[in-house]
Coordinates of all heavy atoms in Angstrom, one line a residue:
M3 N -9.2 -22.2 8.9 CA -8.6 -21.6 7.7 C -7.7 -22.7 7.1 O -6.9 -23.3 7.8 CB -7.9 -20.4 8.0 CG -7.6 -19.6 6.8 SD -6.7 -18.0 6.9 CE -7.2 -17.3 8.4
N4 N -7.9 -23.0 5.8 CA -7.1 -24.0 5.2 C -5.8 -23.5 4.7 O -5.5 -22.3 4.8 CB -7.9 -24.7 4.1 CG -8.2 -23.8 3.0 OD1 -7.7 -22.7 2.9 ND2 -9.2 -24.2 2.1
L5 N -4.9 -24.4 4.3 CA -3.6 -24.1 3.9 C -3.5 -23.1 2.7 O -2.7 -22.3 2.7 CB -2.8 -25.4 3.6 CG -1.3 -25.2 3.3 CD1 -0.6 -24.7 4.5 CD2 -0.7 -26.6 3.0
K6 N -4.4 -23.3 1.8 CA -4.4 -22.5 0.6 C -4.7 -21.0 1.0 O -4.0 -20.1 0.4 CB -5.5 -22.9 -0.4 CG -5.5 -22.2 -1.7 CD -6.5 -22.8 -2.7 CE -6.5 -22.0 -4.0 NZ -7.5 -22.5 -4.9
N7 N -5.6 -20.8 1.8 CA -6.0 -19.4 2.3 C -4.8 -18.8 3.0 O -4.5 -17.6 2.9 CB -7.2 -19.4 3.2 CG -8.5 -19.6 2.4 OD1 -8.5 -19.5 1.1 ND2 -9.5 -20.0 3.0
K8 N -4.1 -19.6 3.8 CA -2.9 -19.0 4.6 C -1.8 -18.6 3.6 O -1.2 -17.6 3.8 CB -2.4 -20.1 5.6 CG -3.3 -20.2 6.8 CD -2.7 -21.2 7.7 CE -3.6 -21.4 8.9 NZ -3.1 -22.4 9.9
K9 N -1.6 -19.4 2.6 CA -0.6 -19.1 1.6 C -0.9 -17.8 0.8 O -0.1 -17.0 0.6 CB -0.4 -20.3 0.6 CG 0.3 -21.5 1.1 CD 0.5 -22.5 0.1 CE 1.2 -23.8 0.6 NZ 1.3 -24.8 -0.4
I10 N -2.2 -17.7 0.5 CA -2.6 -16.4 -0.2 C -2.4 -15.2 0.7 O -1.9 -14.2 0.3 CB -4.1 -16.6 -0.6 CG1 -4.2 -17.6 -1.8 CG2 -4.6 -15.2 -1.1 CD1 -5.6 -18.0 -2.1
I11 N -2.8 -15.3 2.0 CA -2.7 -14.2 2.9 C -1.2 -13.9 3.1 O -0.8 -12.7 3.1 CB -3.4 -14.5 4.2 CG1 -4.9 -14.5 4.0 CG2 -3.0 -13.5 5.3 CD1 -5.6 -15.0 5.2
I12 N -0.3 -14.9 3.2 CA 1.1 -14.6 3.4 C 1.7 -14.0 2.2 O 2.5 -13.0 2.3 CB 1.8 -15.9 3.8 CG1 1.4 -16.3 5.2 CG2 3.3 -15.8 3.7 CD1 1.9 -17.7 5.7
S13 N 1.3 -14.5 1.0 CA 1.9 -13.9 -0.2 C 1.4 -12.5 -0.4 O 2.2 -11.6 -0.9 CB 1.5 -14.8 -1.4 OG 0.1 -14.9 -1.6
V14 N 0.2 -12.1 -0.1 CA -0.4 -10.8 -0.2 C 0.4 -9.9 0.8 O 0.8 -8.7 0.4 CB -1.9 -10.7 0.0 CG1 -2.4 -9.3 0.2 CG2 -2.6 -11.4 -1.1
L15 N 0.6 -10.3 2.0 CA 1.3 -9.5 3.0 C 2.8 -9.3 2.5 O 3.3 -8.2 2.7 CB 1.3 -10.2 4.3 CG 0.0 -10.2 5.1 CD1 0.0 -10.9 6.4 CD2 -0.5 -8.7 5.3
L16 N 3.4 -10.3 2.0 CA 4.8 -10.1 1.5 C 4.8 -9.1 0.3 O 5.7 -8.3 0.2 CB 5.4 -11.5 1.0 CG 5.8 -12.4 2.2 CD1 6.2 -13.7 1.6 CD2 6.9 -11.8 3.0
L17 N 3.8 -9.2 -0.6 CA 3.7 -8.3 -1.7 C 3.6 -6.8 -1.2 O 4.2 -5.9 -1.7 CB 2.6 -8.7 -2.6 CG 2.3 -7.8 -3.8 CD1 3.5 -7.8 -4.8 CD2 1.0 -8.1 -4.5
L18 N 2.7 -6.7 -0.2 CA 2.5 -5.3 0.4 C 3.8 -4.8 1.0 O 4.1 -3.6 0.9 CB 1.4 -5.3 1.4 CG 0.0 -5.3 0.8 CD1 -1.1 -5.5 1.9 CD2 -0.3 -4.1 0.0
V19 N 4.6 -5.7 1.7 CA 5.8 -5.3 2.3 C 6.8 -4.8 1.2 O 7.5 -3.8 1.3 CB 6.5 -6.4 3.2 CG1 7.9 -6.1 3.5 CG2 5.6 -6.6 4.4
V20 N 6.9 -5.6 0.1 CA 7.8 -5.2 -1.0 C 7.3 -3.9 -1.6 O 8.2 -3.0 -1.9 CB 7.9 -6.3 -2.0 CG1 8.6 -5.9 -3.3 CG2 8.6 -7.6 -1.4
L21 N 6.0 -3.7 -1.8 CA 5.5 -2.5 -2.4 C 5.8 -1.3 -1.5 O 6.1 -0.2 -2.0 CB 4.0 -2.6 -2.7 CG 3.7 -3.5 -3.9 CD1 2.2 -3.6 -4.0 CD2 4.2 -2.9 -5.2
N22 N 5.7 -1.5 -0.2 CA 5.9 -0.4 0.7 C 7.4 0.0 0.7 O 7.8 1.1 0.9 CB 5.5 -0.7 2.1 CG 4.0 -0.6 2.3 OD1 3.4 0.4 1.8 ND2 3.3 -1.5 2.8
A23 N 8.3 -1.0 0.6 CA 9.7 -0.7 0.5 C 10.0 0.1 -0.8 O 10.8 1.0 -0.7 CB 10.5 -2.0 0.5
I24 N 9.4 -0.3 -1.9 CA 9.6 0.5 -3.1 C 9.0 1.9 -2.9 O 9.7 2.9 -3.4 CB 8.9 -0.2 -4.3 CG1 9.6 -1.5 -4.6 CG2 8.8 0.6 -5.5 CD1 8.9 -2.4 -5.6
A25 N 7.9 2.0 -2.3 CA 7.3 3.4 -2.1 C 8.2 4.2 -1.2 O 8.4 5.4 -1.4 CB 5.9 3.3 -1.5
F26 N 8.8 3.6 -0.2 CA 9.7 4.3 0.7 C 10.9 4.8 -0.1 O 11.4 5.9 0.1 CB 10.2 3.4 1.9 CG 11.1 4.1 2.8 CD1 10.6 5.0 3.7 CD2 12.4 3.7 2.9 CE1 11.5 5.7 4.6 CE2 13.3 4.3 3.8 CZ 12.8 5.3 4.6
Y27 N 11.5 3.9 -0.9 CA 12.6 4.3 -1.8 C 12.2 5.5 -2.7 O 13.0 6.4 -2.9 CB 13.1 3.1 -2.6 CG 14.1 3.5 -3.7 CD1 15.4 3.7 -3.3 CD2 13.7 3.6 -5.0 CE1 16.3 4.0 -4.3 CE2 14.6 3.9 -6.0 CZ 15.9 4.1 -5.6 OH 16.8 4.5 -6.6
C28 N 11.0 5.4 -3.3 CA 10.6 6.5 -4.2 C 10.4 7.8 -3.4 O 10.7 8.9 -4.0 CB 9.2 6.1 -4.8 SG 9.4 4.8 -6.1
I29 N 9.9 7.8 -2.2 CA 9.7 9.0 -1.4 C 11.1 9.6 -1.1 O 11.3 10.8 -1.2 CB 8.9 8.7 -0.1 CG1 7.5 8.4 -0.5 CG2 9.0 9.9 0.8 CD1 6.6 7.9 0.7
R30 N 12.1 8.8 -0.7 CA 13.4 9.3 -0.5 C 14.0 9.9 -1.7 O 14.7 10.9 -1.7 CB 14.3 8.2 0.1 CG 13.9 7.8 1.5 CD 14.8 6.8 2.2 NE 16.2 7.1 2.1 CZ 16.8 7.8 3.1 NH1 16.1 8.1 4.2 NH2 18.1 8.0 3.1
Q31 N 13.9 9.2 -2.9 CA 14.4 9.7 -4.1 C 13.7 11.1 -4.5 O 14.3 12.0 -5.0 CB 14.2 8.7 -5.2 CG 15.1 7.5 -5.1 CD 16.6 7.9 -5.1 OE1 17.0 8.7 -5.9 NE2 17.3 7.2 -4.2
S32 N 12.4 11.1 -4.3 CA 11.7 12.3 -4.6 C 12.2 13.5 -3.8 O 12.3 14.6 -4.3 CB 10.2 12.1 -4.3 OG 9.5 13.3 -4.6
I33 N 12.5 13.3 -2.5 CA 13.1 14.3 -1.7 C 14.4 14.8 -2.2 O 14.6 16.0 -2.3 CB 13.2 13.9 -0.2 CG1 11.8 13.6 0.4 CG2 14.0 14.8 0.6 CD1 11.9 12.9 1.8
G34 N 15.2 13.9 -2.7 CA 16.5 14.3 -3.3 C 16.3 15.0 -4.6 O 17.0 16.0 -4.9
V35 N 15.3 14.7 -5.4 CA 15.0 15.4 -6.6 C 14.5 16.8 -6.3 O 14.9 17.7 -7.0 CB 14.0 14.6 -7.5 CG1 13.5 15.4 -8.6 CG2 14.6 13.3 -8.0
I36 N 13.7 16.9 -5.3 CA 13.2 18.3 -5.0 C 14.3 19.2 -4.5 O 14.4 20.4 -4.9 CB 12.1 18.2 -3.9 CG1 10.8 17.5 -4.6 CG2 11.7 19.5 -3.4 CD1 9.7 17.2 -3.6
E37 N 15.3 18.6 -3.7 CA 16.4 19.4 -3.3 C 17.3 19.8 -4.5 O 17.9 20.9 -4.5 CB 17.2 18.6 -2.3 CG 16.5 18.5 -0.9 CD 17.3 17.6 0.0 OE1 18.3 17.0 -0.4 OE2 16.8 17.5 1.2
A38 N 17.4 18.9 -5.5 CA 18.2 19.1 -6.6 C 17.6 20.2 -7.5 O 18.3 21.0 -8.2 CB 18.5 17.9 -7.4
L39 N 16.3 20.2 -7.5 CA 15.5 21.2 -8.3 C 15.9 22.7 -7.9 O 15.9 23.6 -8.7 CB 14.0 21.0 -8.2 CG 13.4 20.1 -9.2 CD1 11.9 19.8 -8.8 CD2 13.5 20.6 -10.6
Q40 N 16.1 22.8 -6.6 CA 16.4 24.2 -6.1 C 17.8 24.7 -6.6 O 18.0 25.9 -6.6 CB 16.4 24.2 -4.6 CG 15.0 23.8 -4.0 CD 15.0 23.6 -2.5 OE1 16.1 23.6 -1.9 NE2 13.8 23.5 -2.0
K41 N 18.7 23.8 -7.0 CA 20.0 24.2 -7.3 C 20.3 24.2 -8.8 O 21.3 24.7 -9.2 CB 21.0 23.2 -6.7 CG 21.0 23.2 -5.2 CD 21.8 22.1 -4.6 CE 21.6 22.0 -3.1 NZ 22.3 20.9 -2.5
V42 N 19.4 23.7 -9.6 CA 19.6 23.5 -11.0 C 19.1 24.8 -11.8 O 18.1 25.3 -11.4 CB 18.9 22.3 -11.6 CG1 19.0 22.2 -13.1 CG2 19.5 21.0 -11.0
Q43 N 19.9 25.2 -12.7 CA 19.5 26.4 -13.5 C 19.0 26.0 -14.9 O 18.2 26.8 -15.5 CB 20.7 27.4 -13.6 CG 21.2 27.9 -12.3 CD 20.2 28.7 -11.6 OE1 19.4 29.4 -12.2 NE2 20.2 28.7 -10.3
D44 N 19.5 24.9 -15.5 CA 19.2 24.5 -16.9 C 17.7 24.1 -17.0 O 17.2 23.3 -16.2 CB 20.1 23.4 -17.3 CG 19.9 22.9 -18.7 OD1 19.5 23.8 -19.5 OD2 20.1 21.8 -19.0
Q45 N 17.0 24.7 -17.9 CA 15.6 24.4 -18.1 C 15.3 23.0 -18.4 O 14.3 22.4 -17.9 CB 15.0 25.4 -19.2 CG 13.5 25.3 -19.3 CD 12.7 25.7 -18.1 OE1 13.2 26.5 -17.3 NE2 11.5 25.2 -17.9
H46 N 16.1 22.4 -19.3 CA 15.9 21.0 -19.6 C 16.1 20.1 -18.4 O 15.4 19.1 -18.2 CB 16.9 20.5 -20.7 CG 16.8 19.1 -21.2 ND1 15.7 18.7 -21.8 CD2 17.6 18.1 -21.0 CE1 15.8 17.4 -22.0 NE2 17.0 17.0 -21.6
A47 N 17.1 20.4 -17.6 CA 17.3 19.6 -16.3 C 16.2 19.7 -15.4 O 15.8 18.8 -14.7 CB 18.7 20.0 -15.7
V48 N 15.7 21.0 -15.3 CA 14.5 21.2 -14.4 C 13.3 20.4 -14.8 O 12.7 19.8 -14.0 CB 14.2 22.7 -14.3 CG1 12.9 23.0 -13.7 CG2 15.3 23.5 -13.7
Q49 N 13.1 20.4 -16.1 CA 11.9 19.6 -16.6 C 12.1 18.1 -16.4 O 11.2 17.4 -16.0 CB 11.8 19.9 -18.1 CG 10.5 19.3 -18.7 CD 10.3 19.7 -20.1 OE1 11.3 20.0 -20.8 NE2 9.1 19.6 -20.6
S50 N 13.3 17.6 -16.6 CA 13.6 16.2 -16.3 C 13.4 15.8 -14.9 O 12.8 14.8 -14.5 CB 15.0 15.9 -16.8 OG 15.4 14.6 -16.4
L51 N 13.9 16.7 -14.0 CA 13.8 16.4 -12.5 C 12.3 16.5 -12.1 O 11.9 15.8 -11.2 CB 14.6 17.4 -11.7 CG 16.1 17.2 -11.8 CD1 16.9 18.3 -11.1 CD2 16.5 15.9 -11.2
Q52 N 11.5 17.4 -12.7 CA 10.1 17.5 -12.3 C 9.4 16.2 -12.8 O 8.5 15.8 -12.1 CB 9.5 18.7 -13.0 CG 9.9 20.0 -12.3 CD 9.3 21.2 -13.0 OE1 8.9 21.2 -14.2 NE2 9.3 22.4 -12.3
Q53 N 9.7 15.7 -13.9 CA 9.1 14.4 -14.4 C 9.5 13.3 -13.5 O 8.6 12.5 -13.1 CB 9.6 14.1 -15.8 CG 8.9 15.0 -16.9 CD 9.5 14.8 -18.3 OE1 10.4 14.0 -18.4 NE2 8.8 15.4 -19.2
K54 N 10.7 13.2 -13.0 CA 11.1 12.2 -12.1 C 10.3 12.3 -10.8 O 9.9 11.3 -10.2 CB 12.6 12.2 -11.8 CG 13.5 11.7 -12.9 CD 14.9 11.7 -12.4 CE 15.8 11.1 -13.5 NZ 17.2 11.1 -13.1
S55 N 10.2 13.5 -10.3 CA 9.5 13.8 -9.1 C 8.0 13.3 -9.2 O 7.5 12.7 -8.3 CB 9.6 15.2 -8.7 OG 8.9 15.5 -7.5
L56 N 7.4 13.6 -10.3 CA 6.0 13.2 -10.6 C 5.9 11.7 -10.6 O 5.0 11.2 -10.0 CB 5.5 13.8 -11.9 CG 4.1 13.5 -12.3 CD1 3.1 14.1 -11.3 CD2 3.8 14.0 -13.7
I57 N 6.8 11.0 -11.2 CA 6.8 9.6 -11.3 C 6.9 9.0 -9.9 O 6.2 8.1 -9.5 CB 7.8 9.0 -12.3 CG1 7.5 9.4 -13.7 CG2 8.0 7.5 -12.1 CD1 8.6 9.1 -14.7
Y58 N 7.9 9.5 -9.2 CA 8.1 9.0 -7.8 C 6.9 9.2 -6.9 O 6.4 8.3 -6.2 CB 9.3 9.6 -7.2 CG 10.7 9.1 -7.7 CD1 11.7 10.0 -7.9 CD2 10.8 7.8 -8.1 CE1 12.9 9.6 -8.4 CE2 12.0 7.4 -8.7 CZ 13.1 8.3 -8.8 OH 14.3 7.9 -9.3
N59 N 6.3 10.4 -7.0 CA 5.1 10.7 -6.2 C 3.9 9.9 -6.6 O 3.1 9.4 -5.8 CB 4.8 12.2 -6.3 CG 5.8 13.0 -5.6 OD1 6.5 12.6 -4.7 ND2 5.9 14.3 -6.0
S60 N 3.8 9.6 -7.9 CA 2.7 8.8 -8.4 C 2.8 7.3 -7.9 O 1.8 6.7 -7.5 CB 2.6 8.8 -9.9 OG 2.4 10.1 -10.4
I61 N 4.0 6.8 -8.0 CA 4.2 5.4 -7.5 C 3.9 5.3 -6.0 O 3.2 4.4 -5.5 CB 5.6 4.9 -7.8 CG1 5.8 4.8 -9.3 CG2 5.9 3.6 -7.0 CD1 7.2 4.5 -9.7
S62 N 4.3 6.3 -5.2 CA 4.1 6.3 -3.8 C 2.6 6.4 -3.5 O 2.1 5.8 -2.6 CB 4.8 7.5 -3.1 OG 6.2 7.4 -3.3
A63 N 1.9 7.3 -4.3 CA 0.4 7.4 -4.0 C -0.3 6.2 -4.4 O -1.3 5.8 -3.6 CB -0.1 8.6 -4.9
V64 N 0.1 5.5 -5.4 CA -0.6 4.2 -5.7 C -0.4 3.2 -4.6 O -1.3 2.5 -4.2 CB -0.1 3.7 -7.1 CG1 -0.5 2.2 -7.3 CG2 -0.6 4.6 -8.2
V65 N 0.8 3.1 -4.1 CA 1.1 2.1 -3.1 C 0.3 2.4 -1.8 O -0.2 1.5 -1.1 CB 2.6 2.0 -2.8 CG1 2.9 1.1 -1.6 CG2 3.3 1.4 -4.0
I66 N 0.3 3.7 -1.4 CA -0.5 4.1 -0.2 C -2.0 3.8 -0.4 O -2.6 3.3 0.5 CB -0.2 5.6 0.1 CG1 1.2 5.8 0.5 CG2 -1.2 6.1 1.1 CD1 1.6 7.2 0.7
T67 N -2.5 4.0 -1.6 CA -3.9 3.7 -1.9 C -4.1 2.2 -1.8 O -5.1 1.7 -1.2 CB -4.3 4.1 -3.3 OG1 -4.0 5.5 -3.4 CG2 -5.7 3.8 -3.6
L68 N -3.2 1.4 -2.3 CA -3.3 -0.1 -2.1 C -3.3 -0.5 -0.7 O -4.0 -1.4 -0.3 CB -2.2 -0.8 -2.9 CG -2.4 -0.8 -4.5 CD1 -1.1 -1.4 -5.1 CD2 -3.6 -1.5 -4.9
D69 N -2.4 0.2 0.1 CA -2.4 -0.1 1.5 C -3.8 0.1 2.2 O -4.2 -0.7 3.0 CB -1.3 0.7 2.2 CG 0.1 0.2 2.0 OD1 0.2 -0.9 1.5 OD2 1.0 1.0 2.2
L70 N -4.3 1.3 1.9 CA -5.6 1.6 2.4 C -6.7 0.6 2.0 O -7.6 0.2 2.8 CB -6.0 3.0 2.0 CG -5.2 4.1 2.7 CD1 -5.6 5.5 2.1 CD2 -5.4 4.1 4.2
V71 N -6.7 0.2 0.8 CA -7.6 -0.8 0.3 C -7.5 -2.1 1.0 O -8.4 -2.7 1.5 CB -7.5 -1.0 -1.2 CG1 -8.3 -2.2 -1.7 CG2 -8.0 0.2 -2.0
A72 N -6.2 -2.5 1.3 CA -6.0 -3.8 2.0 C -6.4 -3.7 3.4 O -7.0 -4.6 4.0 CB -4.5 -4.1 1.9
I73 N -6.2 -2.5 4.1 CA -6.7 -2.3 5.4 C -8.2 -2.4 5.5 O -8.8 -3.0 6.4 CB -6.1 -1.0 6.0 CG1 -4.6 -1.1 6.2 CG2 -6.9 -0.6 7.3 CD1 -4.0 0.2 6.5
L74 N -8.9 -1.7 4.6 CA -10.3 -1.7 4.6 C -10.9 -3.1 4.3 O -11.9 -3.5 4.9 CB -10.9 -0.7 3.6 CG -10.7 0.8 4.0 CD1 -11.1 1.7 2.8 CD2 -11.4 1.1 5.3
F75 N -10.2 -3.8 3.4 CA -10.7 -5.2 3.1 C -10.5 -6.1 4.3 O -11.3 -6.9 4.6 CB -9.9 -5.7 1.9 CG -10.4 -7.1 1.5 CD1 -11.7 -7.2 0.9 CD2 -9.6 -8.2 1.6 CE1 -12.2 -8.5 0.5 CE2 -10.1 -9.4 1.2 CZ -11.4 -9.6 0.7
G76 N -9.4 -5.9 5.0 CA -9.1 -6.7 6.2 C -10.1 -6.4 7.3 O -10.6 -7.3 8.0
L77 N -10.5 -5.1 7.5 CA -11.5 -4.7 8.4 C -12.9 -5.3 8.0 O -13.7 -5.8 8.9 CB -11.7 -3.2 8.5 CG -10.5 -2.5 9.3 CD1 -10.6 -1.0 9.2 CD2 -10.4 -3.0 10.7
Y78 N -13.2 -5.4 6.7 CA -14.4 -6.0 6.3 C -14.4 -7.5 6.6 O -15.5 -8.0 7.1 CB -14.6 -5.8 4.8 CG -15.6 -6.7 4.1 CD1 -17.0 -6.4 4.3 CD2 -15.3 -7.8 3.4 CE1 -17.9 -7.2 3.8 CE2 -16.2 -8.6 2.8 CZ -17.6 -8.3 3.0 OH -18.5 -9.1 2.5
L79 N -13.3 -8.2 6.4 CA -13.3 -9.6 6.7 C -13.4 -9.8 8.2 O -14.1 -10.8 8.6 CB -12.0 -10.2 6.1 CG -11.9 -10.3 4.6 CD1 -10.5 -10.9 4.2 CD2 -13.0 -11.1 4.0
L80 N -12.8 -9.0 9.0 CA -12.9 -9.1 10.4 C -14.3 -8.9 10.9 O -14.8 -9.7 11.7 CB -11.9 -8.1 11.1 CG -11.9 -8.1 12.6 CD1 -11.3 -9.4 13.1 CD2 -11.1 -6.9 13.1
H81 N -15.0 -7.9 10.3 CA -16.4 -7.6 10.7 C -17.2 -8.8 10.3 O -18.1 -9.2 11.1 CB -16.8 -6.3 9.9 CG -18.2 -5.9 10.1 ND1 -19.2 -6.3 9.3 CD2 -18.7 -5.1 11.0 CE1 -20.3 -5.8 9.7 NE2 -20.1 -5.1 10.8
K82 N -17.0 -9.3 9.1 CA -17.8 -10.5 8.7 C -17.6 -11.7 9.6 O -18.5 -12.4 9.9 CB -17.4 -10.8 7.2 CG -18.2 -11.8 6.5 CD -17.7 -12.0 5.1 CE -18.4 -13.2 4.4 NZ -17.9 -13.3 3.1
F83 N -16.3 -11.9 10.0 CA -16.0 -13.1 10.8 C -16.7 -12.9 12.2 O -17.2 -13.8 12.8 CB -14.5 -13.2 11.0 CG -14.1 -14.3 11.9 CD1 -14.2 -15.6 11.6 CD2 -13.6 -13.9 13.2 CE1 -13.8 -16.6 12.6 CE2 -13.2 -14.8 14.1 CZ -13.3 -16.2 13.8
I84 N -16.6 -11.7 12.8 CA -17.2 -11.5 14.1 C -18.7 -11.7 14.1 O -19.2 -12.3 15.0 CB -16.8 -10.0 14.6 CG1 -15.3 -10.0 14.9 CG2 -17.7 -9.7 15.8 CD1 -14.8 -8.6 15.2
F85 N -19.4 -11.1 13.1 CA -20.8 -11.3 13.0 C -21.2 -12.7 12.7 O -22.3 -13.2 13.2 CB -21.4 -10.3 12.0 CG -21.6 -8.9 12.6 CD1 -20.8 -7.9 12.3 CD2 -22.7 -8.7 13.5 CE1 -20.9 -6.7 12.9 CE2 -22.9 -7.4 14.0 CZ -22.0 -6.4 13.7
K86 N -20.4 -13.4 12.0 CA -20.8 -14.8 11.7 C -20.6 -15.6 13.0 O -21.5 -16.5 13.3 CB -19.8 -15.4 10.7 CG -20.2 -16.8 10.3 CD -19.2 -17.5 9.3 CE -19.3 -16.9 7.9 NZ -18.4 -17.6 7.0
T87 N -19.6 -15.4 13.8 CA -19.3 -16.0 15.1 C -20.5 -15.7 16.1 O -21.0 -16.6 16.8 CB -18.0 -15.6 15.6 OG1 -17.0 -15.9 14.7 CG2 -17.7 -16.4 16.9
L88 N -20.8 -14.4 16.1 CA -21.9 -14.0 17.0 C -23.2 -14.7 16.6 O -24.0 -15.1 17.5 CB -22.1 -12.5 17.0 CG -21.0 -11.7 17.8 CD1 -21.2 -10.2 17.6 CD2 -21.0 -12.1 19.2
K89 N -23.5 -14.8 15.3 CA -24.8 -15.4 14.9 C -24.8 -16.8 15.2 O -25.8 -17.3 15.7 CB -24.9 -15.2 13.4 CG -26.2 -15.6 12.8 CD -26.3 -15.3 11.3 CE -27.6 -15.8 10.8 NZ -27.7 -15.6 9.3
K90 N -23.7 -17.5 15.1 CA -23.6 -19.0 15.5 C -23.8 -19.1 17.0 O -24.5 -20.0 17.4 CB -22.3 -19.6 15.0 CG -22.2 -19.9 13.6 CD -20.9 -20.6 13.2 CE -20.8 -20.8 11.7 NZ -19.5 -21.4 11.4
S91 N -23.2 -18.3 17.8 CA -23.3 -18.4 19.2 C -24.7 -18.1 19.7 O -25.2 -18.7 20.6 CB -22.3 -17.6 19.9 OG -22.6 -16.2 19.8
I92 N -25.4 -17.1 19.1 CA -26.7 -16.8 19.5 C -27.7 -17.9 19.1 O -28.6 -18.3 19.8 CB -27.1 -15.5 18.9 CG1 -26.4 -14.3 19.6 CG2 -28.6 -15.2 19.0 CD1 -26.6 -13.0 18.9
S93 N -27.5 -18.5 17.9 CA -28.4 -19.5 17.4 C -28.2 -20.8 18.2 O -29.2 -21.6 18.4 CB -28.2 -19.8 15.9 OG -27.0 -20.3 15.7
T94 N -27.1 -21.1 18.7 CA -26.9 -22.3 19.5 C -27.4 -22.1 20.9 O -27.8 -23.1 21.6 CB -25.4 -22.7 19.6 OG1 -24.7 -21.6 20.2 CG2 -24.8 -23.1 18.3
K95 N -27.5 -20.9 21.5 CA -28.1 -20.7 22.8 C -29.6 -20.8 22.8 O -30.2 -21.1 23.8 CB -27.6 -19.3 23.3 CG -26.2 -19.2 23.7 CD -25.9 -17.9 24.2 CE -24.4 -17.8 24.6 NZ -24.0 -16.5 25.2
S96 N -30.2 -20.5 21.6 CA -31.7 -20.5 21.6 C -32.3 -21.8 21.6 O -31.8 -22.8 21.3 CB -32.1 -19.8 20.3 OG -31.7 -18.4 20.3

């Protein structure tokens, strides 16, 4: 693996760590908003808190989806690497 590929992999992993930190923050804020919804009586405040909760939940869902895509892509690359290695080892034995 050359240096350029390593830099790309490291930058993608750092980006995923940052996105997961943001998602964790959004989940914690969403929990606080849901707790606040139970105590608020004003209709305008309830609507505002529901919108905030929806935004936080949407951001978290997008980040979790990106995590799953990254995991599946990593498994695909691992699968591809293993079969390429096996193919080379079998063709050299023949």
